[in-house]
Amino acid sequence: MAASLLLCRPAIPLFAAKISNQSPLFSFSTPKTLRPLPEYRTCRCPTTVSLFRPEKFRGYWWRRPAGTSLGEAEEKETSAAIIGEDSADFELDQQKLSSWVAFTVILGVVLAALNVLWIDPSSGFGKYFISAVSRISESDEVVMLLLVFIFAAVHSGMASFRDAGEKLIGERSYRVLFAGISLPLAVSTVVYFINHRYDGVQLWNVQSIPGVHQLVWLSSFLSFFFLYPSTFNLLEVAAVDKPKMHLWETGIMRITRHPQMVGQVVWCMAHTLWIGNSVALAASVGLIAHHLFGVWNGDRRLAARYGEAFDVVKSRTSILPFAAIVDGRQKLPKDYYKEFLRLPYLTLTAVTLGAYFAHPLMQAASFGLHW
């Protein structure tokens, strides 16, 4: 839950048309950044691809996934003509040791500052924030909802003003400001939830029913593969690399265009089923409402940034999981599973398992704050 609260979804497209006094089927009115990036392979558009008008083939480029031959591209047609970015694409030979050293240092500094300025009861402001919100109502459910909505307003609000903010102070500075404000609020919300998750009115209790624990565990585990499509770019998250707004199209995005919303809904349903009280229900209502708003707001921001490029991606993806696949708008490549056999997903698996086994430590640390 903690990580799902913290992350936003930055993006950039990998597709562009190179015009030689000719007009493509899709007239891109998008920013000048909509060009093939040098780190990705490109190839001349084959005459069998039906995405463009036949008489206009020459002079166009499209990006194909690494490892795809020209013949395979001809067979896959529109599934190979990826306009958006290849999610979870990670190659070790393109990584710089200096960048990851800088990431480690920045992460350590941020966590230390967060502890001193917000978490530590003797020096941090977190306790005052929780105390101020708690004075509004004696109801744990109301306080839980308020904490979620405060975080949501700041997080989504700053995401909405991202373009203007980046123009004003730069991409890296705005990312630092965004994280510096969002992170403490997210920590407060998570800690309050952990400390008060068994307060309120008990609505049901199914923990003793055989199979429920396994169902909740499996649902929670799978939810994390939906929650983090954008956070594989850890160097951008830490502003080591310049943060970008990514237009993802592969991997989990083929299943749903808004995986973070789907993952949050699955996580909330699983934990609400397990805990079964009014506080858990209030937290779930707030989180799901925030992510449903994020569906509209995310599409709006991508449409404003990428115009017709986003319209094409939108036309062959869906909000409802698997809907675009079922109705034929999304054509899965034969080797679709390979889009998940990548280091970021393997790392995510390890981190998710680690987080599950670290639940007692998380609970003990939260109880020690008395929030």
Side-chain angles (χ1 to χ4, degrees):
M1 174 179 175
S4 70
L5 284 165
L6 304 181
L7 305 171
C8 60
R9 290 163 275 189
I12 190 174
L14 302 179
F15 174 88
K18 182 179 180 182
I19 303 178
S20 303
N21 298 321
Q22 304 179 51
S23 59
L25 176 61
F26 302 114
S27 176
F28 287 86
S29 59
T30 50
K32 294 182 179 180
T33 55
L34 191 61
R35 298 171 181 169
L37 299 181
E39 63 268 29
Y40 294 94
R41 300 183 225 173
T42 58
C43 60
R44 284 289 181 184
C45 182
T47 57
T48 57
V49 174
S50 60
L51 187 60
F52 306 102
R53 291 196 297 267
E55 68 274 14
K56 302 296 184 180
F57 289 143
R58 186 171 180 174
Y60 292 99
W61 297 77
W62 97 86
R63 183 201 164 250
R64 64 183 177 86
T68 302
S69 67
L70 186 59
E72 290 172 332
E74 291 175 342
E75 293 177 1
K76 293 178 183 177
E77 294 186 342
T78 57
S79 65
I82 298 175
I83 290 178
E85 189 171 352
D86 190 6
S87 64
D89 188 24
F90 185 89
E91 297 184 18
L92 286 174
D93 58 356
Q94 294 181 0
Q95 305 303 306
K96 295 180 180 179
L97 179 60
S98 58
S99 296
W100 287 102
V101 170
F103 170 80
T104 304
V105 172
I106 291 173
L107 180 62
V109 171
V110 168
L111 293 179
L114 179 66
N115 181 64
V116 173
L117 299 176
W118 195 261
I119 297 176
D120 193 327
S122 63
S123 60
F125 293 93
K127 60 183 179 181
Y128 300 111
F129 171 70
I130 294 293
S131 177
V133 177
S134 298
R135 290 196 195 101
I136 298 175
S137 174
E138 296 182 355
S139 169
D140 292 323
E141 295 86 349
V142 172
V143 174
M144 187 75 256
L145 276 172
L146 286 173
L147 289 173
V148 172
F149 286 149
I150 290 171
F151 168 80
V154 172
H155 190 271
S156 293
M158 294 193 70
S160 298
F161 289 104
R162 176 176 178 174
D163 288 347
E166 289 181 344
K167 290 179 181 178
L168 184 64
I169 63 176
E171 292 90 340
R172 287 186 171 89
S173 297
Y174 195 79
R175 172 52 62 87
V176 171
L177 180 64
F178 180 88
I181 298 176
S182 298
L183 187 57
L185 296 177
V187 169
S188 297
T189 305
V190 172
V191 171
Y192 189 89
F193 173 77
I194 293 176
N195 286 348
H196 297 270
R197 69 192 187 282
Y198 286 116
D199 294 343
V201 179
Q202 193 69 35
L203 304 174
W204 60 79
N205 190 342
V206 297
Q207 294 185 5
S208 60
I209 298 177
V212 170
H213 179 269
Q214 290 77 5
L215 174 63
V216 170
W217 186 93
L218 181 61
S219 299
S220 300
F221 179 80
L222 292 177
S223 72
F224 280 79
F225 286 88
F226 286 87
L227 282 168
Y228 302 124
S230 299
T231 56
F232 297 130
N233 300 60
L234 294 178
L235 296 181
E236 292 181 27
V237 173
V240 175
D241 289 346
K242 184 181 292 187
K244 305 171 184 176
M245 182 177 287
H246 298 271
L247 185 62
W248 305 114
E249 193 176 0
T250 65
I252 203 72
M253 308 302 287
R254 296 184 188 272
I255 297 175
T256 170
R257 189 170 69 255
H258 289 282
Q260 190 167 1
M261 178 274 293
V262 174
Q264 189 66 77
V265 169
V266 172
W267 188 97
C268 286
M269 291 178 63
H271 282 73
T272 303
L273 173 66
W274 180 253
I275 298 173
N277 65 20
S278 55
V279 172
L281 184 61
S284 294
V285 168
L287 287 170
I288 292 174
H290 171 43
H291 283 77
L292 290 177
F293 170 79
V295 169
W296 171 82
N297 196 35
D299 279 356
R300 179 190 65 82
R301 293 170 56 216
L302 287 172
R305 175 71 70 97
Y306 298 118
E308 292 185 41
F310 171 71
D311 290 339
V312 175
V313 173
K314 182 178 179 180
S315 69
R316 56 195 187 194
T317 56
S318 62
I319 297 174
L320 187 66
F322 301 103
I325 298 174
V326 172
D327 63 26
R329 290 182 291 120
Q330 176 62 235
K331 305 294 185 182
L332 295 179
K334 294 180 180 179
D335 58 352
Y336 172 59
Y337 68 93
K338 292 183 180 179
E339 295 181 2
F340 292 91
L341 298 180
R342 293 173 170 177
L343 182 60
Y345 281 110
L346 296 176
T347 303
L348 177 59
T349 301
V351 171
T352 303
L353 291 173
Y356 172 75
F357 291 113
H359 267 53
L361 297 177
M362 297 166 58
Q363 293 167 8
S366 297
F367 292 153
L369 294 176
H370 303 290
W371 287 359

